[in-house]
Amino acid sequence: MGKKSWRRAALAAAAALLLSAQYGCGAFGDTVPEEAGESDAHTYIQGGEELIIVGFSQIGSESIWRTANTSSVQRALTEEKGYFLISDNARQKQENQIKAIRSYISQRVDYIVFAPVTESGWDTVLKEAQDAGIPVILMDRKADVDESLYTTRIGTDLTKEGEKAARWLEGDLKEKNRLYDDINIVILQGTLGSSSELERTAGFESIASRYGNWHILDRQTGDFTTAKGKEVMTQFLQMYPDIDVVVSQNDDMTFGAIEAIEEAGMTTGIDGDITIISFDAVRGALELVQAGKINVDIECNPEQGEYVDMVIQMLERGEPVEKLYMVEERVFTHRNVARYLEGRTY
Ligand code: GYE
């Protein structure tokens, strides 16, 4: 593969052409072909500046975490650093991601960076990328495919995040001398079939199942959004009058759940009626941890762009890369949140 030579001005012209001609607009302000045709970026651009062309297929903009993740990639893969980044927002739809990846293949990009919305269903399109000789870097979630179909994955340990949530609950109940009381739990799941949902659920339940007195009353998807989180929580409150704990698989759903609980005349958090366990640890949620309305937030780190840059640079130099890079993550409670809040940018 290696860098290709492009003239920056010609590249800008090509981008403008792509934008105005047959292609639709991605939500991040970049151009993304609906259909890949003969007239790909490489046809228009020749000679001069060396840029690495990266096709980035993002899941959507469903959460604050996702927006931070997108911006992390955009900050890492800039033109100043030698990249030409083409992005697509799939609006949480697998078919849109497959379309975007196919368009990147026909544009003969140098790399494909891709956050898979669900775990399954990627074999065919990733085989097409492999046949075209384009390295695929998975970011954030997993794809359930043979390891040979992607170069590396940059992401988080989602099972461990689920386990950390259950471990925190164990500790909290122990402190309150309630470890062996009946505890009613509901789970607000993320997008069904996504590795974030599957693994956070499995991680939490692997520990919960050791306690006969922890009752998981229900689990339903809130699709990682505030509106759906509120809707599902409202239904849970109508169905189950005695909920002790809500496990909400991202902060956006947590915001909606808290609204629903408060509208039902109840309180949340440290001194509240319902214990709230959340995931992601975005700034707005950490403020609620500090205010005592969310009991614990299990961090999921969206700053994965620098790792993408690092992996691409290694590949450009012909160096071997690991199959998996995990970003660092913490657990935030009322006790430690103050010292991290200030530095939180998203
Ligand atoms: O928790 C959620 C987002 O896949 C880890 O996706 C990611 C999750 C994150 O929309 O907020």
Side-chain angles (χ1 to χ4, degrees):
M1 145 217 0
K3 287 186 189 173
K4 303 180 176 66
S5 294
W6 314 115
R7 183 173 296 141
R8 198 173 289 222
L11 193 54
L17 236 165
L18 290 169
L19 198 137
S20 62
Q22 68 266 51
Y23 298 142
C25 247
F28 315 125
D30 297 308
T31 57
V32 182
E34 293 281 323
E35 294 285 334
E38 293 274 297
S39 49
D40 59 48
H42 288 204
T43 313
Y44 292 111
I45 307 154
Q46 290 147 32
E49 200 78 29
E50 289 189 356
L51 291 173
I52 300 167
I53 303 191
V54 178
F56 172 35
S57 167
Q58 179 59 291
I59 290 170
S61 40
E62 72 285 359
S63 64
I64 298 168
W65 189 98
R66 182 68 48 205
T67 305
N69 180 248
T70 302
S71 122
S72 160
V73 172
Q74 287 170 336
R75 276 183 279 117
L77 306 187
T78 58
E79 206 176 308
E80 291 66 48
K81 289 200 199 149
Y83 292 100
F84 183 65
L85 180 65
I86 314 170
S87 305
D88 178 69
N89 178 340
R91 302 180 199 287
Q92 299 245 64
K93 289 213 166 68
Q94 182 171 46
E95 65 203 72
N96 291 344
Q97 288 203 285
I98 291 176
K99 226 193 236 180
I101 293 169
R102 291 213 164 112
S103 80
Y104 298 152
I105 295 171
S106 31
Q107 286 184 84
R108 292 177 283 125
V109 300
D110 297 317
Y111 296 90
I112 291 173
V113 176
F114 152 54
V117 60
T118 50
E119 269 196 8
S120 63
W122 303 108
D123 297 84
T124 309
V125 74
L126 292 191
K127 183 80 182 46
E128 287 165 22
Q130 187 176 58
D131 290 346
I134 302 173
V136 171
I137 298 169
L138 294 184
M139 195 193 52
D140 171 25
R141 300 179 188 170
K142 285 184 184 168
D144 185 15
V145 290
D146 190 90
E147 277 198 3
S148 64
L149 288 180
Y150 63 93
T151 304
T152 193
R153 174 178 166 241
I154 295 152
T156 59
D157 192 337
L158 297 155
T159 306
K160 200 157 155 201
E161 289 171 9
E163 289 166 1
K164 283 180 189 170
R167 291 274 177 230
W168 176 85
L169 184 59
E170 267 180 332
D172 187 60
L173 293 172
K174 208 181 268 174
E175 268 180 34
K176 292 174 178 159
N177 269 324
R178 294 193 62 199
L179 194 54
Y180 300 104
D181 286 2
D182 282 323
I183 303 295
N184 290 331
I185 302 169
V186 291
I187 304 181
L188 279 170
Q189 294 167 296
T191 304
L192 293 181
S194 66
S195 56
S196 337
E197 175 272 309
L198 293 167
E199 297 197 350
R200 284 177 184 161
T201 306
F204 182 83
E205 293 191 359
S206 67
I207 292 169
S209 63
R210 297 179 198 164
Y211 291 93
N213 56 315
W214 292 17
H215 310 293
I216 298 179
L217 303 178
D218 213 334
R219 53 177 87 64
Q220 278 186 46
T221 183
D223 249 342
F224 283 132
T225 68
T226 297
K228 196 80 201 296
K230 183 171 180 181
E231 191 185 308
V232 175
M233 190 67 222
T234 304
Q235 287 162 13
F236 280 162
L237 290 165
Q238 282 158 5
M239 289 190 289
Y240 312 105
D242 204 10
I243 296 169
D244 296 298
V245 179
V246 175
V247 179
S248 167
Q249 290 179 348
N250 86 342
D251 287 335
D252 299 75
M253 293 191 295
T254 302
F255 298 142
I258 292 175
E259 262 179 57
I261 293 168
E262 290 180 348
E263 280 173 21
M266 282 178 275
T267 56
T268 65
I270 295 179
D271 298 313
D273 305 315
I274 298 181
T275 294
I276 305 285
I277 298 177
S278 192
F279 292 82
D280 282 359
V282 301
R283 190 181 175 86
L286 292 185
E287 281 165 4
L288 293 182
V289 170
Q290 192 170 45
K293 283 195 177 196
I294 293 176
N295 297 69
V296 63
D297 210 324
I298 315 297
E299 183 179 33
C300 182
N301 186 348
E303 306 274 17
Q304 298 172 6
E306 276 177 33
Y307 286 73
V308 174
D309 173 32
M310 176 192 80
V311 165
I312 292 179
Q313 292 306 325
M314 287 166 78
L315 292 169
E316 288 288 306
R317 292 192 296 268
E319 292 168 15
V321 297
E322 303 286 334
K323 207 72 205 181
L324 177 65
Y325 293 90
M326 291 265 190
V327 294
E328 259 187 61
E329 314 188 286
R330 298 191 171 80
V331 171
F332 298 108
T333 64
H334 192 249
R335 291 181 186 139
N336 69 351
V337 73
R339 82 182 106 113
Y340 296 104
L341 201 48
E342 209 177 309
R344 200 41 127 216
T345 53
Y346 52 90

